[in-house]
Amino acid sequence: MPDLYQELIKLADSDMYPFHMPGHKRNLESTPMKGAFRCDITEIDDYDNLHDAKGIILEAQQRANRIYGSEETFFLVNGSTCGVLSAISAAVPEGGKILAARGSHRSFYNAAYLRNIQIKYLPYKINTKYGIPETYTADDIKQTYDDSIDAVFITSPTYEGKCSDIEEIAKICHLHGIPLIVDAAHGAHFGMGSKSALPENAVSQGADLVIHSVHKTLPSMTQTALLHVQGKLVDRKKLRRFLSIYQTSSPSYVLMASIDLCMKYIEEQGDEFVSRLIEYRKLLENASAKCRYIEIPGKKDIPDAAKVLIYVKNAAMTGHELYDILREEYKLQLEMAGEKYALAIISGCDTREGINRLITAIAQIDARIADGKAMNSEEEHVKVTSLPGQVLSIQSAWDADKESVELQSAIGRISGEFINLYPPGIPLIVPGESFSEELVCDIARYIEEGLTVQGIVDRKEVICVKQK
Amino acid sequence: MPDLYQELIKLADSDMYPFHMPGHKRNLESTPMKGAFRCDITEIDDYDNLHDAKGIILEAQQRANRIYGSEETFFLVNGSTCGVLSAISAAVPEGGKILAARGSHRSFYNAAYLRNIQIKYLPYKINTKYGIPETYTADDIKQTYDDSIDAVFITSPTYEGKCSDIEEIAKICHLHGIPLIVDAAHGAHFGMGSKSALPENAVSQGADLVIHSVHKTLPSMTQTALLHVQGKLVDRKKLRRFLSIYQTSSPSYVLMASIDLCMKYIEEQGDEFVSRLIEYRKLLENASAKCRYIEIPGKKDIPDAAKVLIYVKNAAMTGHELYDILREEYKLQLEMAGEKYALAIISGCDTREGINRLITAIAQIDARIADGKAMNSEEEHVKVTSLPGQVLSIQSAWDADKESVELQSAIGRISGEFINLYPPGIPLIVPGESFSEELVCDIARYIEEGLTVQGIVDRKEVICVKQK
């Protein structure tokens, strides 16, 4: 079966002249981006329509479908963002209720806002050693579930590569007759390659709706993603409706071709891709084993092989310092930095040369860390943090008249904005929740420490719902 | 100032190694789409963030801004669709009311659905000669305006190239203190080149929010668009909020670079681009002047030079037949076909060779039309069609429990779906409106005539709101 890219190149090579959009007319003289323009078309005869796929786009979606083994798969050109928005909008009625973790992606909160959905939170768990969000088990769901809940939303793997027990969580959800939505944006590579090398995929673990970013861990262009559906708990007509609401009516064939090429690559070279990924991770773990302060946790702590958490023990160096040294001195651009670690994303498309550069850099940086700076090791445990009380729905608070209030005067007031601490980017407060004294003190401290706190005005004011 | 593409190529040519997303790692061996992968990155240091632009993306947006002369311009990577959704969501309060034409883009209705906005319709006017939607004057607004209206939404130019009087409509809106949103998806080239060659741009005509598809008529990749803002009638914070809701949190740098390259192209070669466009249109009009049946209306009827409406007089041939002949025999792929015309989109990126092929084809097709088939000429006038009565809001009807009903039994029932007739794609009925006897007869006739009617089940049933 030809892939979408081949179909587009066939057209570019043919005598067919374009009296249609796009305005560049595949005229390569108008751009240095020649390859992209050459296969950039609109919905013309024989080239199908993403929003009502019946031809070559449907066939391409079916290729993805075969690889993941889901019942139905949709290509997304507006990222996992539109997958999360569509999944929640279709699975939860307007004004309904969803059970989810506080550390869900911003698009989760946006869906709750748009559809006036009430969020019930799972316990907010942080792994104190690494300072990263923890994951969930079936017991967590059992203990927080109540009959008013319409769906469960779980992020697995997390940004940092930790995995929840999707299989058991799916069973609990289905026992209650509600769908499980898994934001697996970072887990499109799961389940690929030889058995047991990578964690299982949320699709085969029985989730009803699974969102995969194809670009994050597989070779596809940024902004491309997949949505998989199975079972009968989610109305597929409604799902299609929302996919066509949250995605452009002019989807890019370049992005769609990139997804299909990626699926073909996985079909043909997936085993080698995964083998290289696993090998690279192993090489990095081995290198860190020789270090005094730098530690790269293994599969047990970070099951996702693509996430290389370069942790610095005993506060001998901050994650940000490590990140900056890698970037400035070694020209290694990492994904992000936390207080205690820098995070590298690796894939089967990395080169051995690149991995070796990182190994050399880690060894050299570890060697130069002065012993004097190290503090006592912090014990690893899971801390459950309390969340602010919810007074108004996200929708009524975010849409309300608002005013800026001095942080210290905000105690007892209702927030009209999200305030996020980066990393990990989890909201400290969500519109509709009230500021406690404890939270106000925490925010003041974060600002003083120079951390990135989004949603604060001039470093000292917060946005509150106007009092009548 | 370097463009975004140059910045990305600089990175690709540098020694900086990517331990971040996307998973393809710019490794060109993993894809035939080498050019696209080379400049496809994520939000790393120095490369700014579309959702909080402060660096090179802000500078690129400012270039677009200078070209159009608006106060502020945003790049859109989810097409004009996300521009329309964001504009309406920001300009009209949840549950508010908007004045608009029936022929608005699907994204307009989707915004009304998501934000539970009530639509008051302008008179639904069709140009009977060409069978295309007509445009609006300030008088139309004056006659339908009432104090409960929060914003006005106008599509100009239309898909077929007709223009409303935006300048006067903006004045009326501002007199009432409400914003004017212009869906100018098809008019990104307006106002460019030497004076008077093309219609004025909605930005300089004083609209508050203007949405431009960059890909439709200018050389940029499909799915790229711009949103311009001016004045104080729309809360810009709210606008930014909705832009970040309706667009992916992983925007494609390839798409953004394509917008910036397009703006640079217009800055440097815009005059030549427009001169060629005007010349091509003139050549086509001249060619049709020698035809017996084929007519390409001039600037007076279709002011947008980019829209070549190839009209067949006296029903001597249907638009669909013309479209098929052009495609199958001449390998000329047009944009679409109506009952009485085929529509070609041209731009300054067309080649003279392409235009000549179309000129030759038109002359040859005109010559072979048998005189016997021609009927009496239809007089040109503007027909105002009545619209179905609205019983429920779009939101309550589209979200309601629904059932399939035989078309003939639907009289008096409330529609639970959109039913659209293509072309021009304007809804015959919108969720929440009731089926009249006249509408049911019309729909039955359209189906019988083999026209494309979307939203019908098995060619005979319609979706209605369940009766209690």
Side-chain angles (χ1 to χ4, degrees), chain B residues 275-291 296 305 308 346 350-360 362-363:
Chain B
S275 301
R276 281 194 299 275
L277 169 63
I278 300 291
E279 185 202 339
Y280 293 157
R281 167 71 176 261
K282 207 77 219 149
L283 286 171
L284 287 160
E285 285 174 29
N286 291 346
S288 87
K290 296 173 203 142
C291 291
I296 295 176
V308 181
I346 60 170
D350 272 303
T351 60
R352 192 168 296 262
E353 183 260 340
I355 301 295
N356 286 338
R357 280 171 63 183
L358 183 55
I359 288 173
T360 306
I362 287 172

Side-chain angles (χ1 to χ4, degrees), chain A residues 277-335:
Chain A
L277 169 63
I278 300 289
E279 185 202 340
Y280 292 156
R281 167 73 175 260
K282 207 76 218 152
L283 287 171
L284 287 161
E285 285 174 30
N286 291 345
S288 87
K290 296 171 203 142
C291 291
R292 296 171 309 151
Y293 292 109
I294 293 178
E295 178 193 322
I296 295 178
K299 201 173 164 178
K300 196 184 131 278
D301 281 318
I302 306 288
D304 178 3
K307 297 302 167 64
V308 181
L309 195 95
I310 312 176
Y311 168 70
V312 189
K313 278 185 277 199
N314 304 344
M317 179 183 270
T318 71
H320 297 276
E321 283 164 357
L322 175 60
Y323 174 97
D324 288 342
I325 295 172
L326 284 170
R327 185 178 138 77
E328 279 147 35
E329 298 181 27
Y330 293 91
K331 302 290 171 208
L332 301 171
Q333 173 69 58
L334 268 64
E335 173 69 22

Side-chain angles (χ1 to χ4, degrees), chain B residues 130-432:
Chain B
Y130 305 120
I132 62 176
E134 264 298 342
T135 54
Y136 296 92
T137 64
D139 272 346
D140 291 316
I141 309 297
K142 276 185 210 161
Q143 280 157 26
T144 31
Y145 177 83
D146 72 68
D147 279 343
S148 66
I149 287 165
D150 298 296
V152 173
F153 182 88
I154 298 283
T155 304
S156 179
T158 62
Y159 195 7
E160 300 83 5
K162 283 187 140 327
C163 302
S164 288
D165 188 352
I166 297 303
E167 192 159 353
E168 292 303 315
I169 294 173
K171 283 184 195 158
I172 299 286
C173 290
H174 298 162
L175 204 69
H176 292 295
I178 59 168
L180 171 62
I181 307 168
V182 178
D183 176 356
H186 285 267
H189 57 306
F190 278 24
M192 285 174 181
S194 63
K195 286 259 174 239
S196 84
L198 287 173
E200 231 186 303
N201 201 291
V203 174
S204 57
Q205 289 178 304
D208 300 85
L209 293 169
V210 177
I211 299 109
H212 280 144
S213 277
V214 205
H215 65 93
K216 287 189 167 77
T217 53
L218 295 178
S220 185
M221 282 173 71
T222 301
Q223 197 168 318
T224 57
L226 297 171
L227 173 64
H228 309 282
V229 204
Q230 22 197 22
K232 294 192 185 307
L233 292 173
V234 178
D235 179 344
R236 299 201 190 178
K237 269 193 203 142
K238 223 167 162 184
L239 188 66
R240 282 169 196 275
R241 175 203 299 175
F242 285 104
L243 284 171
S244 81
I245 288 177
Y246 297 127
Q247 290 192 102
T248 174
S249 57
S250 298
S252 163
Y253 277 81
V254 177
L255 295 183
M256 292 189 278
S258 168
I259 303 177
D260 196 30
L261 280 175
C262 175
M263 292 298 113
K264 203 176 163 190
Y265 176 87
I266 291 302
E267 227 171 22
E268 294 170 356
Q269 304 179 48
D271 285 351
E272 295 88 324
F273 175 90
V274 173
S275 301
R276 281 194 299 275
L277 169 63
I278 300 291
E279 185 202 339
Y280 293 157
R281 167 71 176 261
K282 207 77 219 149
L283 286 171
L284 287 160
E285 285 174 29
N286 291 346
S288 87
K290 296 173 203 142
C291 291
R292 297 171 309 152
Y293 292 111
I294 292 178
E295 178 193 323
I296 295 176
K299 200 173 164 177
K300 196 184 131 280
D301 281 319
I302 305 288
D304 179 2
K307 296 302 166 64
V308 181
L309 195 95
I310 312 175
Y311 168 68
V312 190
K313 278 186 278 199
N314 303 344
M317 179 183 269
T318 71
H320 296 278
E321 282 165 358
L322 176 60
Y323 174 97
D324 287 343
I325 295 172
L326 285 169
R327 184 179 139 78
E328 279 148 35
E329 297 182 27
Y330 293 91
K331 303 289 171 208
L332 300 171
Q333 173 70 57
L334 268 63
E335 173 69 23
M336 55 95 92
E339 202 189 328
K340 302 171 178 182
Y341 62 89
L343 184 72
I345 293 188
I346 60 170
S347 89
C349 289
D350 272 303
T351 60
R352 192 168 296 262
E353 183 260 340
I355 301 295
N356 286 338
R357 280 171 63 183
L358 183 55
I359 288 173
T360 306
I362 287 172
Q364 290 182 356
I365 296 170
D366 186 72
R368 74 194 222 194
I369 293 178
D371 289 321
K373 276 193 68 183
M375 320 221 306
N376 281 337
S377 169
E378 196 177 337
E379 226 173 297
E380 180 171 10
H381 67 275
V382 175
K383 187 180 146 199
V384 179
T385 307
S386 65
L387 294 171
Q390 204 175 316
V391 185
L392 292 177
S393 75
I394 296 184
Q395 195 180 72
S396 26
W398 220 10
D399 278 344
D401 285 335
K402 283 172 272 193
E403 59 189 348
S404 276
V405 173
E406 287 276 346
L407 180 58
Q408 299 303 334
S409 319
I411 297 167
R413 295 287 301 266
I414 301 168
S415 184
E417 260 302 335
F418 286 90
I419 299 179
N420 296 298
L421 178 66
Y422 279 92
I426 295 177
L428 297 169
I429 196 162
V430 165

